[in-house]
């Protein structure tokens, strides 16, 4: 995957992450958590364990969608979101 | 059969050489008056969140972004043909307006993470010795320390927010900043930056980073304007909802 980063300064816990992993985290943050929403028309299912890798834990506290993904994986295999509740976030 | 939506654009994004959409469907461009919607057919009730699907969504939005102004849809947007028609009809004005506002711009992202020595771990509260004080006193001392720590973190986070906003105000068109004082990732900011000002933005951000060597900066971009795409507030204002 090509990097979307033009500049990365990291340290501490995030040093363990490769730039490509950070790039994926940023992509997840933008694609899953932001963008135009048509009320009631977002339906996703969570099945790919590979998506949730160990590095996600570093930033997961503030990447709300990733948290929801983790919670939904524990709760049930298929999630239908209610985008109207979150559409005002962005 | 529903449509999976990638983005709305202000012109035909000319995706003749596109690599294909989710579920190996052909990517279509649906025209409605002055708007174009990039979509592909999707035979299913839910879109699997996989690495491949997320990257495919981003790739198609990015390809459209290279040719036109776009408002990206959030991943997982599935809609019937009539639902899409209704959406475009009722929100055309807000979409056109939003497209004009993000025209010629890219989104840049900045995340700031507390370091151990400067941030959240400093605010950890010492648990009082129960042999020296009673349980009730210990609890109140603990809560007092916790509240004071949180207050200090919030003050620092707000100062950080103001410092960053002030430093970049001359090179950004719009901004959205979220602070989470009690989290390691204390600040998350998105900036709408004119393409012509990207060099200035990078220069400014670099100077700001040099001022705060005790913080971790995570900077990414340029992105299509995901954060600045939503028209819900504008739509609500038109109809007096908010």
């Amino acid at each position: 995957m090509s990097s979307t980063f033009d500049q990365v300064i990291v340290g501490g816990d995030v040093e363990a992450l490769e730039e490509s992993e950070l790039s994926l985290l940023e992509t997840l943050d933008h694609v899953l958590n932001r963008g135009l929403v048509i009320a009631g028309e977002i339906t996703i299912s969570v099945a790919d364990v590979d998506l949730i890798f160990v590095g996600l834990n570093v930033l997961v506290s503030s990447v709300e969608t990733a948290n929801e993904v983790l919670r939904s994986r524990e709760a049930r295999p298929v999630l239908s979101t209610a985008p109207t509740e979150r559409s005002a976030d962005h | 059969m529903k449509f999976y939506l990638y983005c709305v654009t202000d012109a035909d994004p000319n995706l003749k050489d596109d690599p294909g959409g989710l579920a190996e469907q052909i990517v279509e461009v649906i025209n409605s008056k002055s708007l174009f919607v990039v979509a592909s057919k999707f035979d299913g009730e839910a879109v699997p969140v996989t690495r491949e699907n997320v990257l495919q969504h981003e790739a198609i939005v990015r390809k459209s972004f290279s040719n036109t102004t776009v408002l990206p849809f959030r991943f997982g947007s599935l809609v019937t043909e009539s639902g899409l028609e209704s959406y475009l009809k009722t929100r055309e004005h807000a979409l056109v307006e939003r497209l004009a506002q993000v025209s010629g711009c890219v989104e840049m992202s900045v995340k700031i993470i507390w370091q151990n020595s400067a941030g959240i771990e400093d605010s950890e509260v010492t648990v009082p010795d129960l042999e020296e004080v009673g349980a009730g006193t210990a609890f109140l001392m603990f809560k007092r320390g916790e509240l004071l720590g949180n207050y200090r973190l919030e003050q620092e986070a707000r100062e950080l927010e103001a410092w960053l906003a002030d430093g970049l105000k001359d090179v950004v068109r719009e901004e959205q900043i979220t602070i989470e004082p009690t989290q390691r990732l204390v600040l998350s900011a998105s900036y709408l930056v004119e393409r012509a000002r990207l060099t200035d933005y990078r220069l400014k951000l670099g100077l700001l980073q040099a001022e705060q060597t005790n913080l971790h900066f995570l900077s990414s971009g340029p992105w299509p304007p995901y954060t600045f795409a939503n028209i819900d507030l504008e739509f609500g204002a038109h109809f007096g909802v908010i």
Side-chain angles (χ1 to χ4, degrees), chain B residues 120-139:
Chain B
I120 191 166
E121 291 182 11
D122 271 1
S123 72
E124 285 181 359
V125 181
T126 307
V127 179
D129 186 349
L130 283 174
E131 290 182 2
E132 292 180 11
V133 297
T137 303
F139 174 76

Side-chain angles (χ1 to χ4, degrees), chain A residues 14 59, chain B residues 111-115 184-186 215-218:
Chain A
V14 288
L59 300 181
Chain B
K111 288 181 168 65
I112 296 181
I113 300 166
W114 291 127
Q115 286 222 50
R184 286 290 309 279
L185 204 164
V186 61
L215 297 173
H216 297 306
F217 282 74
L218 190 59

